[in-house]
Structures are given as C-alpha cells and as structure tokens.
Coordinates of all heavy atoms in Angstrom, one line a residue:
F1 N 86.4 104.6 102.8 CA 86.6 106.0 102.3 C 88.2 106.1 101.9 O 89.0 106.5 102.9 CB 86.2 107.1 103.3 CG 86.3 108.5 102.8 CD1 85.2 108.9 102.0 CD2 87.3 109.5 103.1 CE1 85.2 110.2 101.5 CE2 87.3 110.7 102.6 CZ 86.3 111.1 101.8
P2 N 88.5 105.8 100.7 CA 90.0 105.8 100.3 C 90.6 107.2 100.1 O 89.8 108.0 99.6 CB 90.0 104.8 99.2 CG 88.6 105.0 98.5 CD 87.7 105.3 99.7
I3 N 91.7 107.4 100.4 CA 92.5 108.6 100.2 C 93.8 108.3 99.5 O 94.6 107.5 100.1 CB 92.7 109.5 101.4 CG1 91.4 109.7 102.1 CG2 93.4 110.8 101.1 CD1 91.5 110.3 103.5
V4 N 94.1 108.8 98.4 CA 95.3 108.7 97.6 C 96.4 109.6 98.1 O 97.4 109.4 98.4 CB 95.1 108.7 96.1 CG1 96.6 108.6 95.4 CG2 94.3 107.4 95.7
E5 N 96.0 111.0 98.0 CA 97.0 112.1 98.3 C 96.9 112.4 99.8 O 96.3 113.3 100.1 CB 96.6 113.2 97.4 CG 96.8 112.9 96.0 CD 96.6 114.1 95.1 OE1 97.5 115.1 95.0 OE2 95.5 114.2 94.5
T6 N 97.7 111.6 100.6 CA 97.6 111.9 102.1 C 98.6 112.9 102.5 O 98.6 113.3 103.6 CB 97.8 110.5 102.8 OG1 99.1 110.0 102.2 CG2 96.7 109.5 102.5
H7 N 99.5 113.3 101.6 CA 100.5 114.4 101.9 C 101.3 114.1 103.1 O 101.4 114.9 104.1 CB 99.9 115.8 102.1 CG 99.2 116.3 100.8 ND1 99.8 117.1 99.9 CD2 97.9 116.1 100.3 CE1 99.1 117.4 98.9 NE2 97.9 116.9 99.1
P8 N 102.0 112.9 103.1 CA 102.9 112.6 104.2 C 104.1 113.5 104.2 O 104.4 114.4 103.4 CB 103.3 111.2 104.1 CG 103.2 111.1 102.5 CD 102.2 111.9 102.0
D9 N 104.9 113.4 105.4 CA 106.3 114.1 105.4 C 107.0 113.8 104.1 O 107.2 112.6 103.8 CB 107.0 113.7 106.7 CG 108.3 114.5 106.9 OD1 108.9 114.9 105.9 OD2 108.5 114.8 108.0
P10 N 107.5 114.9 103.5 CA 108.2 114.7 102.2 C 109.4 113.7 102.3 O 109.7 112.9 101.4 CB 108.8 116.1 101.9 CG 107.7 117.0 102.4 CD 107.4 116.3 103.7
E11 N 110.0 113.6 103.4 CA 111.2 112.7 103.6 C 110.7 111.3 103.6 O 111.5 110.4 103.1 CB 111.8 113.0 105.0 CG 112.8 114.3 104.9 CD 113.7 114.3 106.1 OE1 113.7 113.4 107.0 OE2 114.4 115.4 106.3
T12 N 109.5 111.1 103.9 CA 109.0 109.7 103.9 C 108.5 109.2 102.6 O 108.4 107.9 102.4 CB 107.8 109.5 104.9 OG1 106.7 110.2 104.4 CG2 108.2 109.9 106.3
T13 N 108.4 110.1 101.6 CA 108.0 109.7 100.3 C 109.2 109.4 99.3 O 109.0 108.9 98.3 CB 107.2 110.8 99.7 OG1 107.9 111.9 99.4 CG2 106.0 111.2 100.5
Q14 N 110.5 109.6 99.9 CA 111.6 109.5 98.9 C 112.0 108.0 99.0 O 112.3 107.5 100.0 CB 112.8 110.4 99.4 CG 112.4 111.8 99.1 CD 113.3 112.7 100.0 OE1 114.3 112.3 100.6 NE2 113.1 114.0 99.9
D15 N 112.1 107.5 97.7 CA 112.5 106.1 97.6 C 113.7 106.0 96.7 O 113.5 106.0 95.5 CB 111.4 105.2 97.1 CG 111.7 103.8 97.1 OD1 112.8 103.3 97.4 OD2 110.7 103.0 96.6
L16 N 114.9 105.9 97.2 CA 116.1 106.0 96.5 C 116.5 104.6 95.8 O 117.3 104.6 94.9 CB 117.3 106.6 97.2 CG 117.1 108.0 97.8 CD1 118.2 108.4 98.6 CD2 116.8 108.9 96.7
R17 N 116.1 103.6 96.3 CA 116.2 102.2 95.8 C 117.8 101.9 95.7 O 118.2 101.3 94.8 CB 115.6 102.0 94.4 CG 114.2 102.1 94.4 CD 113.5 100.9 94.9 NE 112.0 101.0 95.0 CZ 111.1 101.0 94.1 NH1 111.4 100.6 92.9 NH2 109.9 101.2 94.4
L18 N 118.5 102.3 96.7 CA 119.9 102.1 96.8 C 120.4 100.6 97.0 O 121.3 100.1 96.5 CB 120.6 102.9 97.8 CG 120.5 104.4 97.6 CD1 121.2 105.2 98.8 CD2 121.0 104.9 96.3
L19 N 119.5 99.8 97.6 CA 119.8 98.5 97.9 C 119.3 97.5 96.8 O 119.8 96.4 96.7 CB 119.1 97.9 99.2 CG 119.7 98.6 100.5 CD1 119.0 98.0 101.7 CD2 121.2 98.6 100.6
N20 N 118.4 97.9 96.0 CA 118.0 97.2 94.7 C 117.8 98.2 93.6 O 116.8 98.3 93.0 CB 116.7 96.4 95.0 CG 115.6 97.3 95.6 OD1 115.9 98.4 96.0 ND2 114.4 96.7 95.6
P21 N 118.9 98.7 93.1 CA 118.8 99.7 92.0 C 118.5 99.0 90.7 O 118.8 97.8 90.4 CB 120.3 100.2 91.9 CG 121.1 99.2 92.5 CD 120.4 98.4 93.5
W22 N 117.9 99.7 89.8 CA 117.5 99.1 88.4 C 118.8 99.5 87.5 O 119.8 100.2 88.0 CB 116.3 99.8 87.9 CG 116.3 101.2 87.8 CD1 116.6 102.1 86.7 CD2 116.1 102.3 88.9 NE1 116.5 103.4 87.0 CE2 116.2 103.6 88.3 CE3 115.8 102.1 90.2 CZ2 116.1 104.7 89.1 CZ3 115.6 103.3 91.0 CH2 115.8 104.5 90.4
P23 N 119.0 98.9 86.4 CA 120.2 99.0 85.6 C 120.6 100.4 85.3 O 121.8 100.7 85.3 CB 119.8 98.2 84.3 CG 118.8 97.2 84.7 CD 117.9 97.9 85.8
E24 N 119.7 101.3 85.0 CA 120.1 102.6 84.7 C 120.7 103.4 85.9 O 121.7 104.1 85.8 CB 118.9 103.4 84.3 CG 118.4 103.1 82.9 CD 117.4 101.9 82.9 OE1 117.2 101.4 84.0 OE2 116.9 101.5 81.8
L25 N 120.2 103.1 87.1 CA 120.7 103.7 88.3 C 122.1 103.0 88.6 O 123.1 103.7 89.1 CB 119.8 103.5 89.5 CG 120.3 104.1 90.8 CD1 120.5 105.6 90.7 CD2 119.2 103.9 92.0

C-alpha cells in the first residue's frame, strides 16, 4: 500500500543542496 504524500515535518523536506550545488545555485 504505497503512499506518496506522507506530510512529514516541513523542516525534513527542505533540501538546500549546499554541499553539491548546481551551476545556477
């Protein structure tokens, strides 16, 4: 029984990618 929208704590969903930024960042 898969669930996509699990609604975790908002803080855990933030992915800033500071250690491996893409060129635009």
Side-chain angles (χ1 to χ4, degrees):
F1 190 75
I3 304 169
V4 175
E5 298 181 76
T6 54
H7 294 270
D9 187 320
E11 285 193 5
T12 66
T13 64
Q14 292 163 5
D15 186 0
L16 300 179
R17 298 281 169 87
L18 299 179
L19 295 184
N20 50 350
W22 59 98
E24 292 82 357
L25 183 58

